[in-house]
Amino acid sequence: MPTQPALSSPKPPAIFLMGPTASGKTGVAVELVRHLPCEIISVDSALVYRDMDIGTAKPDAETLRVAPHHLIDLIPPTESYSAAQFHRDALRLMSEIAGRGRIPLLAGGTMLYFKALSEGLSDLPEAAPEVRAELDEKAARLGWPALHAELAQLDPVTAARLEPADAQRIQRALEVCRLTGQPMSALLGRAAPPELPCRIIRVSLEPSDRAMLHRRIAERFDAMLAAGLIDEVRGLRERYPLNPGLTSMRCVGYRQAWQYLDGEFDLPTLREKGIAATRQLAKRQLTWLRAMPDVQRFDCLADDLAAQVRRFLESQLA
């Protein structure tokens, strides 16, 4: 009698814990580690940098003791870490964690990294330092809004979704145009969706009241200033051969502190610009999140947020 083919076993679970900046992701992730057999994989393009602690809101030593994080403190701020590197590292860690009988908990706010895992990587070229240096020099002369206008001629689809002052993304889109001769919008989405080692449970922490999130952002930025953000950036400039064009120094807070140290504006303006940039970041994150399918959404302002998320996940993991 012929044997029946064995049924494939279901994939182990993994959790995507997403949300805008200041939505409480770290607190929820730590609470989940206390109650579920999870290991945290950081999904944050700023936490990869060593010695950048205050402005990235990096978890402190006690938090990391209770809930260790993978993919933080990987590189010095002179180097860069791409979505392709994250994709490779995260897939490896997900397999290793699941192999230990535990649950990968991917927590953070870098939506491009989540998109890379969910949809695959597009066929985009690696960064070209010489092209970036040329664009930086041009932006210094003309301003990033002028380069945004140039991008609008070359790639109107990409330009339409970027703010005129979004230097990092404008530069990358122009870089792709120059390296490939094609608009970035035409290259995105060509990759086949990846085969993930786990089934994904997506959770998003989003505010029911945008004004309350803005208040949290302001309070957190004030706390960073009080904790020594300016001294942190001053120390980084003394310790490493940095320049304001590096990806690390374009992170929100670091860019504004660099400009303050260069005498471009005073402390009240630093605060105002830092808070405004963080609000813009949160707005972009929420736009990404609202376009994501199959997401369980929670009000990040709820008093019992962590308990709500834990109960939902326990029901999905049962």
Side-chain angles (χ1 to χ4, degrees):
M1 184 175 181
T3 59
Q4 296 295 319
L7 296 175
S8 60
S9 58
K11 289 182 179 180
I15 300 161
F16 283 6
L17 178 62
M18 305 173 289
T21 186
S23 60
K25 297 180 295 294
T26 298
V28 171
V30 171
E31 188 67 14
L32 292 175
V33 167
R34 295 181 188 276
H35 293 89
L36 297 171
C38 294
E39 290 186 34
I40 299 173
I41 301 173
S42 170
V43 188
D44 190 306
S45 60
L47 292 185
V48 300
Y49 295 111
R50 293 194 289 270
D51 299 320
M52 291 174 56
D53 302 329
I54 297 171
T56 62
K58 190 172 291 178
D60 60 23
E62 176 59 22
T63 300
L64 292 175
R65 186 190 65 78
V66 174
H69 286 49
H70 298 280
L71 301 187
I72 68 171
D73 292 331
L74 298 180
I75 57 174
T78 49
E79 297 179 11
S80 61
Y81 185 77
S82 67
Q85 289 171 288
F86 170 80
H87 185 263
R88 180 183 63 247
D89 290 343
L91 287 178
R92 171 182 55 80
L93 285 166
M94 289 170 73
S95 294
E96 291 174 359
I97 293 168
R100 292 193 284 269
R102 299 178 66 79
I103 302 169
L105 170 57
L106 292 92
T110 300
M111 306 314 300
L112 177 62
Y113 287 3
F114 281 117
K115 184 178 175 69
L117 283 175
S118 298
E119 302 178 17
L121 291 163
S122 300
D123 188 19
L124 298 179
E126 291 292 321
E130 67 283 359
V131 174
R132 293 193 169 191
E134 180 186 339
L135 291 169
D136 279 334
E137 187 275 331
K138 189 172 183 179
R141 287 187 290 109
L142 304 176
W144 285 106
L147 271 70
H148 182 267
E150 178 183 337
L151 179 62
Q153 297 296 317
L154 298 171
D155 186 355
V157 174
T158 299
R161 64 179 178 80
L162 300 181
E163 299 289 337
D166 192 348
Q168 185 173 347
R169 291 172 177 81
I170 293 169
Q171 183 191 62
R172 177 56 174 160
L174 286 172
E175 177 186 43
V176 169
C177 288
R178 294 194 181 189
L179 292 175
T180 67
Q182 300 181 69
M184 188 165 72
S185 57
L187 298 174
L188 292 172
R190 289 187 177 177
E195 180 67 25
L196 295 177
C198 304
R199 63 179 177 90
I200 306 302
I201 305 169
R202 292 176 176 83
V203 170
S204 178
L205 314 182
E206 302 175 21
S208 57
D209 182 345
R210 189 77 64 92
M212 286 296 297
L213 182 68
H214 290 170
R215 185 181 304 173
R216 280 191 183 182
I217 286 170
E219 290 172 351
R220 189 166 82 158
F221 197 80
D222 284 339
M224 289 176 178
L225 288 173
L229 173 60
I230 294 170
D231 286 338
E232 179 174 78
V233 177
R234 183 182 288 113
L236 289 167
R237 285 164 48 133
E238 294 170 353
R239 194 176 309 126
Y240 297 100
L242 300 174
N243 66 73
L246 289 169
T247 303
S248 61
M249 291 300 104
R250 289 182 177 180
C251 292
V252 171
Y254 291 89
R255 178 187 304 177
Q256 292 75 26
W258 184 291
Q259 292 172 304
Y260 167 80
L261 289 170
D262 276 356
E264 295 185 30
F265 42 67
D266 59 12
L267 185 58
T269 305
L270 160 61
R271 177 183 182 275
E272 175 188 340
K273 288 182 174 291
I275 291 171
T278 311
R279 286 172 60 166
Q280 284 297 317
L281 171 62
K283 180 181 177 182
R284 291 194 298 271
Q285 291 167 318
L286 286 167
T287 299
W288 279 81
L289 285 165
R290 286 172 183 154
M292 279 193 173
D294 304 320
V295 177
Q296 184 71 25
R297 304 177 195 276
F298 293 87
D299 180 7
C300 68
L301 305 176
D303 292 336
D304 61 341
L305 173 62
Q308 286 187 36
V309 174
R310 177 164 59 88
R311 286 194 296 268
F312 166 74
L313 290 173
E314 287 172 342
S315 73
Q316 298 298 301
L317 298 169

